[in-house]
Amino acid sequence: MKHEDAKWEEEIRKGPFAASPFTEEHKYHVMQRVERIQSAISEEKKISRSASAWSRLGLSRRSADRVTDKTNYETTNRAIKSTINTTQDVSSHKRLSKIHRGILAASMGVLVIAGGMFLWNWDDGQLAQPFIEQIHPASALLFSDHLNVDILTDKMKKNIAVTLRDDLGKQLRITKVQELPVSGRIYIEAGQEKDADYAQIWLDAKTGNLREVQMRAELQPSKLEHRYLRQVPSLLESIGSIPTLKPERVKRLVNMKQGEVVPTVYTVLELGDDISYGGITWKQDKALSVAGELRSDQIPQTALAHAKKAIGAFSGKPNLYLEHASRDKDDEIGEDSTFFSFNDNYFVKITETSNGRRFIVADANDYGQPQISSPEQMEAYQERLLNMEESLLRKEIGPFLSVIFKVDLEDYKLHRNPEDLGTVIFKRNADQDVFQVRYKEDGRVTMVTREEPTSKQ
């Protein structure tokens, strides 16, 4: 599920920088900065349009704001020109002796994105200062009252603001600042632990650099960066789902452990319309998993026929109809699952894995737990589950396995797990062909799972 802008990536790898490394981490930094510059320019345009509107209405009290906006805009443009001119004046020998820097090429050999010019540090995968970073980000921080903010250096404030802005996607109010002299760190807490938006940041007390990060937030779908949104239709299309599903909810998780260099960002997007649903999870800007309801013309008919046959044998109801089908492709764990839901709360899930196939058929009706009002009754209930007669279980599922999988349960030996009441495993000693069976206290089977190795398919 790798989604790339092949054109500009190909250009970057040409010319004098062909031998320089350009990894997925480099790409992520570029895309991240581009999003921020596009947002900044978009806001600039909004301010400009707003100022023009006030002028047409003759409201002179806005004139000072217009002058300020114009001054800021001209200052920004001068900063861009200064950066470009400075780069052009630096000698070739000096550039090569320090670090490899260059203007990222795209289409015509120059990557000019949303009016912002980038310089690249090939050694560590970081962008050299684009003009947007010349605006000190510490001013974006929000502090609660009575905090000991004096222990934070300007570099610490900048690192906090940039981490919240670029990685989490939103600024949170700082609620705690604490010095940890034993570990040589500064601890920052933002938001409230009970809320959806919450961040914990540990900084090195000497250098101000990030040491550890644990953050989470919910974002408005409209605030999701374009580098994610542009992938949605093609990713949904790739699994046979509806490409026009709309973003409904966004969650973001950011983690960085001790010893890591940059935070790892997970973005979880929930999609839907009045009928269907979907979901995508990214790590940095690479999609890890895509899920969604299947279009009718994308339902695999062979798998559906197998599922219908299994449901009929398992439930004893041959005429159950398909309510919906969905697919979940997860590259991180290496699984591709198709889910079939039938009426009367029966379902089948078929999963292709790197080691074989998993087939689940289940009765999802909630039978509930029997009325238990004393420790003695609970103990008796657990005993019934643990000591369920093997002959009863074999009688319940033997015919089903014979019809669906063409196997004889007599070839499989039963294994019980006292820690997992209501579940037993039938395993054939000759290989890893395994059936897991879930059952109720009266012996009724509610789910059968077969783990079938690749060699048996």
Side-chain angles (χ1 to χ4, degrees):
M1 283 175 285
K2 189 176 181 180
H3 194 100
E4 297 181 338
D5 273 344
K7 183 182 292 185
W8 69 267
E9 288 192 43
E10 287 176 3
E11 292 295 334
I12 286 171
R13 293 184 171 92
K14 294 179 181 178
F17 310 111
S20 301
F22 185 73
T23 66
E24 284 296 316
E25 196 63 51
H26 296 157
K27 175 186 172 183
Y28 176 69
H29 283 295
V30 173
M31 300 300 291
Q32 191 179 59
R33 299 306 187 204
V34 168
E35 292 286 351
R36 298 305 169 190
I37 284 187
Q38 287 176 330
S39 296
I41 291 178
S42 176
E43 290 299 320
E44 193 74 48
K45 289 180 179 179
K46 289 179 181 178
I47 292 173
S48 178
R49 287 195 296 268
S50 177
S52 298
W54 285 112
S55 178
R56 288 194 298 271
L57 290 173
L59 299 182
S60 59
R61 66 186 181 88
R62 291 291 181 180
S63 59
D65 290 338
R66 291 200 301 274
V67 171
T68 300
D69 293 338
K70 182 178 181 182
T71 301
N72 288 340
Y73 186 75
E74 292 175 349
T75 301
T76 300
N77 278 328
R78 284 197 299 271
I80 298 173
K81 293 176 182 178
S82 176
T83 300
I84 297 173
N85 291 335
T86 301
T87 303
Q88 293 173 341
D89 292 339
V90 176
S91 69
S92 174
H93 173 74
K94 186 175 181 181
R95 280 184 288 135
L96 293 176
S97 62
K98 285 191 169 184
I99 57 175
H100 296 295
R101 294 191 177 213
I103 301 173
L104 295 178
S107 65
M108 296 301 294
V110 179
L111 177 59
V112 183
I113 304 174
M117 185 71 71
F118 286 101
L119 299 179
W120 183 266
N121 181 339
W122 292 103
D123 292 335
D124 60 8
Q126 299 293 325
L127 289 172
Q129 290 280 53
F131 78 88
I132 193 67
E133 288 295 344
Q134 295 178 12
I135 302 172
H136 200 289
S139 61
L141 288 178
L142 305 173
F143 291 98
S144 297
D145 296 334
H146 311 301
L147 292 181
N148 184 19
V149 298
D150 293 339
I151 66 176
L152 298 177
T153 65
D154 286 344
K155 182 177 180 180
M156 291 177 181
K157 292 177 181 178
K158 178 178 180 178
N159 281 339
I160 295 168
V162 169
T163 299
L164 290 171
R165 183 195 68 190
D166 289 355
D167 297 321
L168 191 61
K170 67 193 305 185
Q171 295 291 344
L172 306 181
R173 183 174 296 277
I174 307 300
T175 54
K176 187 174 184 178
V177 178
Q178 181 181 2
E179 188 171 8
L180 306 173
V182 175
S183 62
R185 298 189 292 179
I186 303 294
Y187 173 67
I188 311 298
E189 195 168 317
Q192 299 296 328
E193 187 174 4
K194 63 180 180 355
D195 294 338
D197 298 341
Y198 180 62
Q200 295 174 290
I201 301 173
W202 290 264
L203 301 171
D204 189 292
K206 291 183 179 180
T207 66
N209 294 332
L210 295 177
R211 293 276 291 272
E212 291 186 58
V213 173
Q214 295 287 332
M215 303 190 293
R216 65 174 185 264
E218 288 193 8
L219 310 178
Q220 292 294 326
S222 60
K223 298 296 184 181
L224 182 62
E225 296 87 347
H226 179 68
R227 67 178 182 273
Y228 297 110
L229 289 174
R230 67 184 176 84
Q231 300 181 43
V232 171
S234 60
L235 287 172
L236 292 173
E237 186 79 37
S238 71
I239 65 166
S241 190
I242 303 168
T244 56
L245 294 179
K246 302 300 181 183
E248 292 186 336
R249 189 180 184 187
V250 181
K251 292 184 179 180
R252 181 157 288 162
L253 302 173
V254 183
N255 299 301
M256 188 177 109
K257 298 178 181 178
Q258 178 70 29
E260 295 179 341
V261 179
V262 296
T264 300
V265 181
Y266 288 91
T267 302
V268 181
L269 172 63
E270 297 178 13
L271 303 126
D273 55 24
D274 293 338
I275 301 174
S276 303
Y277 71 91
I280 304 173
T281 298
W282 288 270
K283 180 180 180 180
Q284 308 301 65
D285 65 336
K286 179 182 178 182
L288 292 183
S289 67
V290 184
E293 289 195 61
L294 293 174
R295 303 195 305 272
S296 58
D297 62 334
Q298 294 295 314
I299 297 175
Q301 295 302 308
T302 301
L304 177 57
H306 194 187
K308 286 183 174 180
K309 185 178 180 181
I311 282 293
F314 181 73
S315 67
K317 303 175 181 179
N319 297 319
L320 295 179
Y321 62 87
L322 180 68
E323 291 186 332
H324 81 271
S326 61
R327 184 181 175 192
D328 187 343
K329 189 173 186 294
D330 193 320
D331 287 347
E332 187 170 37
I333 62 176
E335 294 188 352
D336 190 349
S337 300
T338 305
F339 183 91
F340 300 100
S341 176
F342 297 86
N343 64 305
D344 289 356
N345 295 319
Y346 287 92
F347 73 84
V348 170
K349 185 178 182 181
I350 303 173
T351 302
E352 301 295 335
T353 73
S354 57
N355 298 321
R357 188 174 72 159
R358 183 184 309 117
F359 189 97
I360 301 174
V361 57
D363 177 357
N365 289 287
D366 184 12
Y367 295 112
Q369 187 171 299
Q371 291 288 340
I372 296 176
S373 57
S374 68
E376 291 77 16
Q377 289 182 353
M378 175 59 74
E379 184 177 355
Y381 170 71
Q382 293 175 345
E383 282 292 325
R384 288 195 298 273
L385 290 176
L386 182 60
N387 299 316
M388 181 63 58
E389 291 184 12
E390 180 177 345
S391 59
L392 178 59
L393 293 174
R394 288 182 178 273
K395 180 181 178 181
E396 284 284 323
I397 68 168
F400 164 74
L401 300 185
S402 177
V403 171
I404 301 304
F405 300 110
K406 304 295 190 284
V407 300
D408 187 348
L409 196 57
E410 293 301 321
D411 296 334
Y412 295 75
K413 183 178 180 180
L414 182 141
H415 298 268
R416 299 181 190 269
N417 182 2
E419 301 299 323
D420 190 5
L421 295 176
T423 301
V424 294
I425 290 175
F426 287 94
K427 182 178 178 180
R428 188 162 52 191
N429 292 332
D431 52 36
Q432 295 300 313
D433 198 358
V434 174
F435 290 94
Q436 184 183 72
V437 179
R438 295 195 66 84
Y439 57 90
K440 306 299 288 185
E441 72 279 1
D442 59 0
R444 181 172 44 201
V445 174
T446 60
M447 184 168 72
V448 176
T449 301
R450 187 189 193 187
E451 296 281 353
E452 187 179 12
T454 304
S455 59
K456 294 299 176 183
Q457 295 189 50

